[in-house]
Tab-separated table of all heavy atoms in Angstrom:
chain	number	residue	atom	x	y	z
C	53	SER	N	-5.355	9.700	23.745
C	53	SER	CA	-4.526	8.493	23.638
C	53	SER	C	-4.953	7.656	22.451
C	53	SER	O	-4.120	7.152	21.697
C	53	SER	CB	-4.657	7.653	24.906
C	53	SER	OG	-4.071	8.295	25.978
C	54	ALA	N	-6.268	7.519	22.266
C	54	ALA	CA	-6.748	6.663	21.183
C	54	ALA	C	-6.315	7.227	19.842
C	54	ALA	O	-5.939	6.486	18.928
C	54	ALA	CB	-8.266	6.553	21.246
C	55	PHE	N	-6.351	8.583	19.722
C	55	PHE	CA	-5.973	9.212	18.460
C	55	PHE	C	-4.516	8.943	18.132
C	55	PHE	O	-4.154	8.564	17.005
C	55	PHE	CB	-6.242	10.721	18.583
C	55	PHE	CG	-5.902	11.493	17.364
C	55	PHE	CD1	-6.565	11.261	16.169
C	55	PHE	CD2	-4.917	12.463	17.397
C	55	PHE	CE1	-6.253	11.972	15.038
C	55	PHE	CE2	-4.607	13.184	16.266
C	55	PHE	CZ	-5.272	12.948	15.080
C	56	ILE	N	-3.628	9.120	19.161
C	56	ILE	CA	-2.198	8.915	18.918
C	56	ILE	C	-1.914	7.456	18.584
C	56	ILE	O	-1.137	7.149	17.666
C	56	ILE	CB	-1.397	9.369	20.156
C	56	ILE	CG1	-1.549	10.872	20.301
C	56	ILE	CG2	0.046	8.984	20.049
C	56	ILE	CD1	-0.816	11.443	21.463
C	57	MET	N	-2.565	6.530	19.324
C	57	MET	CA	-2.334	5.111	19.041
C	57	MET	C	-2.802	4.761	17.643
C	57	MET	O	-2.152	3.986	16.937
C	57	MET	CB	-3.083	4.244	20.059
C	57	MET	CG	-2.414	4.120	21.394
C	57	MET	SD	-0.675	3.703	21.288
C	57	MET	CE	-0.750	2.077	20.629
C	58	THR	N	-3.947	5.347	17.223
C	58	THR	CA	-4.448	5.037	15.884
C	58	THR	C	-3.475	5.514	14.825
C	58	THR	O	-3.179	4.785	13.867
C	58	THR	CB	-5.809	5.707	15.652
C	58	THR	OG1	-6.587	5.569	16.826
C	58	THR	CG2	-6.512	5.094	14.478
C	59	LEU	N	-2.936	6.741	15.002
C	59	LEU	CA	-1.967	7.236	14.031
C	59	LEU	C	-0.750	6.321	13.947
C	59	LEU	O	-0.289	5.958	12.863
C	59	LEU	CB	-1.494	8.642	14.442
C	59	LEU	CG	-2.367	9.807	14.040
C	59	LEU	CD1	-1.690	11.100	14.456
C	59	LEU	CD2	-2.605	9.812	12.552
C	60	TYR	N	-0.254	5.931	15.128
C	60	TYR	CA	0.950	5.107	15.147
C	60	TYR	C	0.700	3.755	14.492
C	60	TYR	O	1.522	3.266	13.707
C	60	TYR	CB	1.428	4.935	16.596
C	60	TYR	CG	2.698	4.138	16.720
C	60	TYR	CD1	3.879	4.596	16.175
C	60	TYR	CD2	2.720	2.923	17.397
C	60	TYR	CE1	5.044	3.873	16.276
C	60	TYR	CE2	3.878	2.199	17.513
C	60	TYR	CZ	5.039	2.679	16.952
C	60	TYR	OH	6.193	1.949	17.067
C	61	ILE	N	-0.457	3.155	14.790
C	61	ILE	CA	-0.723	1.832	14.232
C	61	ILE	C	-0.957	1.922	12.727
C	61	ILE	O	-0.548	1.028	11.971
C	61	ILE	CB	-1.900	1.178	14.976
C	61	ILE	CG1	-1.418	0.856	16.380
C	61	ILE	CG2	-2.374	-0.070	14.279
C	61	ILE	CD1	-2.369	0.036	17.175
C	62	ILE	N	-1.554	3.025	12.251
C	62	ILE	CA	-1.689	3.191	10.808
C	62	ILE	C	-0.311	3.278	10.169
C	62	ILE	O	-0.048	2.654	9.131
C	62	ILE	CB	-2.533	4.444	10.474
C	62	ILE	CG1	-3.968	4.215	10.876
C	62	ILE	CG2	-2.448	4.768	9.005
C	62	ILE	CD1	-4.860	5.373	10.540
C	63	PHE	N	0.603	4.040	10.816
C	63	PHE	CA	1.962	4.133	10.299
C	63	PHE	C	2.608	2.757	10.220
C	63	PHE	O	3.293	2.425	9.246
C	63	PHE	CB	2.776	5.080	11.200
C	63	PHE	CG	4.255	5.023	10.993
C	63	PHE	CD1	4.829	5.371	9.792
C	63	PHE	CD2	5.093	4.631	12.030
C	63	PHE	CE1	6.201	5.329	9.605
C	63	PHE	CE2	6.464	4.593	11.856
C	63	PHE	CZ	7.012	4.935	10.648
C	64	LEU	N	2.383	1.909	11.239
C	64	LEU	CA	2.995	0.586	11.225
C	64	LEU	C	2.356	-0.316	10.180
C	64	LEU	O	3.013	-1.168	9.604
C	64	LEU	CB	2.865	-0.074	12.598
C	64	LEU	CG	3.705	0.502	13.715
C	64	LEU	CD1	3.555	-0.364	14.944
C	64	LEU	CD2	5.146	0.573	13.328
C	65	MET	N	1.069	-0.154	9.943
C	65	MET	CA	0.378	-1.116	9.086
C	65	MET	C	0.498	-0.785	7.608
C	65	MET	O	0.195	-1.631	6.772
C	65	MET	CB	-1.111	-1.189	9.465
C	65	MET	CG	-1.352	-1.831	10.810
C	65	MET	SD	-0.804	-3.538	10.827
C	65	MET	CE	0.469	-3.476	12.052
C	66	LEU	N	0.896	0.463	7.259
C	66	LEU	CA	0.905	0.829	5.839
C	66	LEU	C	1.761	-0.108	4.969
C	66	LEU	O	1.263	-0.610	3.962
C	66	LEU	CB	1.392	2.273	5.664
C	66	LEU	CG	0.299	3.339	5.706
C	66	LEU	CD1	0.898	4.700	5.523
C	66	LEU	CD2	-0.717	3.087	4.614
C	67	PRO	N	3.040	-0.351	5.312
C	67	PRO	CA	3.801	-1.253	4.439
C	67	PRO	C	3.221	-2.673	4.423
C	67	PRO	O	3.268	-3.346	3.397
C	67	PRO	CB	5.202	-1.260	5.058
C	67	PRO	CG	5.289	0.018	5.783
C	67	PRO	CD	3.926	0.251	6.321
C	68	ILE	N	2.666	-3.120	5.545
C	68	ILE	CA	2.101	-4.476	5.571
C	68	ILE	C	0.851	-4.539	4.695
C	68	ILE	O	0.627	-5.512	3.971
C	68	ILE	CB	1.808	-4.884	7.020
C	68	ILE	CG1	3.102	-4.881	7.805
C	68	ILE	CG2	1.138	-6.228	7.067
C	68	ILE	CD1	2.972	-5.341	9.202
C	69	TYR	N	0.042	-3.470	4.733
C	69	TYR	CA	-1.137	-3.412	3.856
C	69	TYR	C	-0.697	-3.471	2.392
C	69	TYR	O	-1.294	-4.167	1.566
C	69	TYR	CB	-1.943	-2.140	4.142
C	69	TYR	CG	-2.592	-1.547	2.924
C	69	TYR	CD1	-3.658	-2.181	2.297
C	69	TYR	CD2	-2.129	-0.361	2.378
C	69	TYR	CE1	-4.240	-1.650	1.166
C	69	TYR	CE2	-2.699	0.180	1.252
C	69	TYR	CZ	-3.756	-0.467	0.634
C	69	TYR	OH	-4.304	0.064	-0.479
C	70	TRP	N	0.413	-2.729	2.080
C	70	TRP	CA	0.891	-2.721	0.692
C	70	TRP	C	1.372	-4.098	0.278
C	70	TRP	O	1.180	-4.529	-0.858
C	70	TRP	CB	2.000	-1.680	0.551
C	70	TRP	CG	2.271	-1.342	-0.856
C	70	TRP	CD1	3.405	-1.590	-1.557
C	70	TRP	CD2	1.370	-0.728	-1.759
C	70	TRP	NE1	3.281	-1.161	-2.844
C	70	TRP	CE2	2.020	-0.619	-2.998
C	70	TRP	CE3	0.063	-0.252	-1.653
C	70	TRP	CZ2	1.436	-0.048	-4.107
C	70	TRP	CZ3	-0.522	0.318	-2.763
C	70	TRP	CH2	0.155	0.410	-3.967
C	71	LEU	N	2.010	-4.798	1.248
C	71	LEU	CA	2.494	-6.145	0.974
C	71	LEU	C	1.333	-7.085	0.648
C	71	LEU	O	1.366	-7.836	-0.333
C	71	LEU	CB	3.251	-6.655	2.201
C	71	LEU	CG	4.046	-7.922	2.077
C	71	LEU	CD1	5.188	-7.708	1.148
C	71	LEU	CD2	4.537	-8.354	3.434
C	72	ILE	N	0.266	-7.011	1.472
C	72	ILE	CA	-0.893	-7.881	1.219
C	72	ILE	C	-1.542	-7.515	-0.108
C	72	ILE	O	-1.955	-8.375	-0.898
C	72	ILE	CB	-1.890	-7.749	2.388
C	72	ILE	CG1	-1.229	-8.172	3.676
C	72	ILE	CG2	-3.116	-8.574	2.118
C	72	ILE	CD1	-2.130	-8.105	4.859
C	73	ASN	N	-1.603	-6.192	-0.365
C	73	ASN	CA	-2.155	-5.728	-1.630
C	73	ASN	C	-1.413	-6.347	-2.808
C	73	ASN	O	-2.010	-6.899	-3.736
C	73	ASN	CB	-2.021	-4.195	-1.658
C	73	ASN	CG	-2.710	-3.570	-2.833
C	73	ASN	OD1	-3.520	-4.214	-3.478
C	73	ASN	ND2	-2.385	-2.328	-3.113
C	74	MET	N	-0.056	-6.307	-2.737
C	74	MET	CA	0.718	-6.848	-3.856
C	74	MET	C	0.586	-8.348	-3.945
C	74	MET	O	0.662	-8.916	-5.032
C	74	MET	CB	2.200	-6.469	-3.696
C	74	MET	CG	2.474	-5.052	-4.081
C	74	MET	SD	4.195	-4.780	-4.454
C	74	MET	CE	4.955	-5.441	-3.019
C	75	SER	N	0.389	-9.024	-2.797
C	75	SER	CA	0.348	-10.483	-2.853
C	75	SER	C	-0.925	-10.980	-3.519
C	75	SER	O	-0.984	-12.123	-3.947
C	75	SER	CB	0.458	-11.078	-1.453
C	75	SER	OG	-0.761	-10.924	-0.768
C	76	LEU	N	-1.955	-10.094	-3.610
C	76	LEU	CA	-3.199	-10.540	-4.222
C	76	LEU	C	-3.301	-10.117	-5.682
C	76	LEU	O	-4.311	-10.351	-6.331
C	76	LEU	CB	-4.393	-9.987	-3.443
C	76	LEU	CG	-4.495	-10.525	-2.027
C	76	LEU	CD1	-5.535	-9.771	-1.242
C	76	LEU	CD2	-4.865	-11.987	-2.075
C	77	LYS	N	-2.232	-9.486	-6.209
C	77	LYS	CA	-2.257	-9.085	-7.613
C	77	LYS	C	-1.412	-10.034	-8.422
C	77	LYS	O	-0.536	-10.714	-7.901
C	77	LYS	CB	-1.630	-7.688	-7.775
C	77	LYS	CG	-2.378	-6.562	-7.157
C	77	LYS	CD	-1.615	-5.275	-7.487
C	77	LYS	CE	-2.242	-4.096	-6.783
C	77	LYS	NZ	-1.470	-2.885	-7.005
C	78	THR	N	-1.608	-10.048	-9.736
C	78	THR	CA	-0.694	-10.802	-10.588
C	78	THR	C	0.540	-9.953	-10.856
C	78	THR	O	0.520	-8.740	-10.695
C	78	THR	CB	-1.353	-11.137	-11.928
C	78	THR	OG1	-1.698	-9.897	-12.563
C	78	THR	CG2	-2.599	-11.951	-11.724
C	79	ASN	N	1.613	-10.627	-11.271
C	79	ASN	CA	2.861	-9.920	-11.580
C	79	ASN	C	2.646	-8.783	-12.553
C	79	ASN	O	3.133	-7.672	-12.379
C	79	ASN	CB	3.853	-10.905	-12.214
C	79	ASN	CG	4.873	-11.339	-11.210
C	79	ASN	OD1	4.959	-10.766	-10.131
C	79	ASN	ND2	5.648	-12.339	-11.552
C	80	GLN	N	1.868	-9.091	-13.606
C	80	GLN	CA	1.610	-8.122	-14.656
C	80	GLN	C	1.003	-6.852	-14.059
C	80	GLN	O	1.422	-5.741	-14.349
C	80	GLN	CB	0.643	-8.768	-15.652
C	80	GLN	CG	0.375	-7.963	-16.877
C	80	GLN	CD	1.583	-7.943	-17.782
C	80	GLN	OE1	2.589	-8.600	-17.515
C	80	GLN	NE2	1.513	-7.181	-18.824
C	81	GLU	N	-0.013	-7.079	-13.175
C	81	GLU	CA	-0.742	-5.927	-12.671
C	81	GLU	C	0.128	-5.072	-11.762
C	81	GLU	O	0.032	-3.864	-11.752
C	81	GLU	CB	-1.990	-6.397	-11.925
C	81	GLU	CG	-2.978	-5.287	-11.651
C	81	GLU	CD	-4.125	-5.774	-10.789
C	81	GLU	OE1	-4.458	-6.968	-10.875
C	81	GLU	OE2	-4.654	-4.966	-10.021
C	82	ILE	N	1.033	-5.734	-10.983
C	82	ILE	CA	1.889	-4.966	-10.083
C	82	ILE	C	2.765	-4.018	-10.884
C	82	ILE	O	2.929	-2.849	-10.551
C	82	ILE	CB	2.793	-5.893	-9.253
C	82	ILE	CG1	1.956	-6.767	-8.350
C	82	ILE	CG2	3.768	-5.097	-8.433
C	82	ILE	CD1	2.782	-7.702	-7.533
C	83	LEU	N	3.330	-4.571	-12.001
C	83	LEU	CA	4.337	-3.790	-12.696
C	83	LEU	C	3.738	-2.727	-13.602
C	83	LEU	O	4.415	-1.770	-13.945
C	83	LEU	CB	5.233	-4.722	-13.524
C	83	LEU	CG	6.106	-5.623	-12.661
C	83	LEU	CD1	6.847	-6.606	-13.537
C	83	LEU	CD2	7.093	-4.786	-11.888
C	84	THR	N	2.485	-2.905	-14.003
C	84	THR	CA	1.956	-1.949	-14.975
C	84	THR	C	1.048	-0.913	-14.328
C	84	THR	O	1.276	0.275	-14.471
C	84	THR	CB	1.159	-2.665	-16.090
C	84	THR	OG1	0.248	-3.568	-15.443
C	84	THR	CG2	2.085	-3.432	-16.972
C	85	THR	N	0.026	-1.347	-13.578
C	85	THR	CA	-0.893	-0.354	-13.035
C	85	THR	C	-0.590	-0.079	-11.576
C	85	THR	O	0.133	-0.826	-10.930
C	85	THR	CB	-2.348	-0.834	-13.142
C	85	THR	OG1	-2.489	-1.943	-12.242
C	85	THR	CG2	-2.672	-1.286	-14.538
C	86	PHE	N	-1.133	1.014	-11.088
C	86	PHE	CA	-1.000	1.347	-9.674
C	86	PHE	C	-2.408	1.414	-9.098
C	86	PHE	O	-3.188	2.273	-9.475
C	86	PHE	CB	-0.302	2.691	-9.515
C	86	PHE	CG	-0.193	3.129	-8.094
C	86	PHE	CD1	0.889	2.750	-7.331
C	86	PHE	CD2	-1.175	3.913	-7.503
C	86	PHE	CE1	1.004	3.151	-6.015
C	86	PHE	CE2	-1.070	4.303	-6.183
C	86	PHE	CZ	0.012	3.931	-5.446
Side-chain angles (χ1 to χ4, degrees):
Chain C
S53 291
F55 180 63
I56 294 180
M57 281 311 293
T58 318
L59 277 184
Y60 182 64
I61 291 189
I62 291 182
F63 166 63
L64 289 186
M65 291 297 117
L66 270 180
I68 299 184
Y69 145 70
W70 196 246
L71 190 66
I72 300 181
N73 187 15
M74 282 200 308
S75 75
L76 295 170
K77 293 182 185 176
T78 60
N79 258 349
Q80 186 71 4
E81 194 186 330
I82 296 179
L83 292 174
T84 49
T85 68
F86 177 88

